[in-house]
Amino acid sequence: MNPVFNMDAATMSPVALFIQADWVVKIVMAGLLIASIWTWALIVAFWLRLGKTRRGMARFEREFWKADDIDVFYKAESENTLPSARVFIAGVKEWRRSTAGGSIDKGGTRERLATTMAAASAEEIDTLSDRLNILATVGSVAPFVGLFGTVWGIMRAFTGIASAQNSSLAVVAPGIAEALFATAIGLFAAIPAVIAYNRFSHGVNRIEAALNRFADGFHTTLSRQLDGGR
């Protein structure tokens, strides 16, 4: 009789189910556990990063709107790596290039400023949301990987039942529990990944909106200077 299906109640613990599982199911379980640990590491890191970025952007924008001289503020913040600072730096550089000559094309300058800052904003958002795709992948794939482990385990369980020629609950339960455990691990990895992906996507969208508002405000400030301070 197959020893996997003769486990008593004491061997129905998660650790015992993993140890007694088929090698294919073990690989599935181990992969999902690694994905779960990786997911939680990404969740903590991204949560800290978003919080730091939001606070830094709020501070930067407060200081920017209080500044009396853009050139002085630019020198002080030229090495700043915050998204709003990057947009500001890109705008100042384009402003200087566009107004360096004797004759200034006001319409062209405004258009170039808008394009430059929009590109800088998009680049910063792409960088900020770089690893969100990992959470999306884990959230969408992990349940199916767990389901594969479950199907494989159930197939093995029925094979063991056929070999033992005994379909009592004591014989069937351990094999089925082992198989369903793979699905449980898949859901354990997927659920926090999906929740975190949705929350972080919302957070990135809020930062993007704030970044676009800042870029629009800075563009307006430069446009006034272009018109002679009106």
Side-chain angles (χ1 to χ4, degrees):
M1 187 176 293
N2 193 328
V4 174
F5 305 111
N6 286 328
M7 296 185 291
D8 56 27
T11 60
M12 294 287 285
S13 67
V15 174
L17 291 175
F18 175 81
I19 293 174
Q20 297 296 330
D22 178 73
W23 66 271
V24 174
V25 181
K26 280 183 179 178
I27 291 174
V28 170
M29 291 180 179
L32 290 173
L33 285 173
I34 292 171
S36 180
I37 294 170
W38 191 16
T39 295
W40 279 106
L42 287 175
I43 288 172
V44 172
F46 209 92
W47 178 68
L48 294 174
R49 185 181 181 187
L50 277 185
K52 182 180 179 181
T53 299
R54 281 196 298 265
R55 291 189 298 271
M57 286 178 58
R59 177 199 57 79
F60 176 86
E61 292 180 28
R62 283 195 305 270
E63 294 178 358
F64 170 79
W65 294 116
K66 291 178 182 177
D68 297 323
D69 191 318
I70 289 179
D71 289 328
V72 173
F73 187 75
Y74 172 78
K75 290 179 182 179
E77 300 289 342
S78 59
E79 301 297 325
N80 199 323
T81 58
L82 287 168
S84 50
R86 294 284 194 179
V87 171
F88 165 73
I89 292 168
V92 171
K93 287 181 177 179
E94 182 56 42
W95 167 263
R96 290 180 172 179
R97 284 193 296 265
S98 296
T99 58
S103 178
I104 300 175
D105 179 6
K106 294 183 179 180
T109 298
R110 288 190 177 94
E111 184 176 346
R112 286 190 293 272
L113 283 170
T115 301
T116 298
M117 288 192 287
S121 177
E123 182 178 356
E124 291 303 313
I125 293 301
D126 285 344
T127 301
L128 187 63
S129 60
D130 181 47
R131 294 192 176 183
L132 277 181
N133 63 319
I134 297 175
L135 295 178
T137 300
V138 172
S140 60
V141 173
F144 294 101
V145 175
L147 183 61
F148 167 75
T150 296
V151 171
W152 184 275
I154 289 175
M155 289 171 56
R156 181 168 174 266
F158 280 118
T159 301
I161 291 169
S163 300
Q165 296 182 350
N166 187 346
S167 60
S168 67
L169 184 60
V171 173
V172 175
I176 301 299
E178 168 196 309
L180 293 176
F181 187 48
T183 295
I185 297 177
L187 294 175
F188 181 75
I191 290 173
V194 171
I195 294 173
Y197 175 79
N198 291 333
R199 293 300 304 165
F200 290 152
S201 294
H202 177 67
V204 170
N205 289 339
R206 291 181 61 187
I207 289 177
E208 182 178 14
L211 204 55
N212 290 336
R213 287 194 299 270
F214 172 75
D216 290 342
F218 186 39
H219 185 273
T220 300
T221 300
L222 294 177
S223 293
R224 289 197 187 98
Q225 289 194 19
L226 199 61
D227 290 335
R230 292 196 302 272

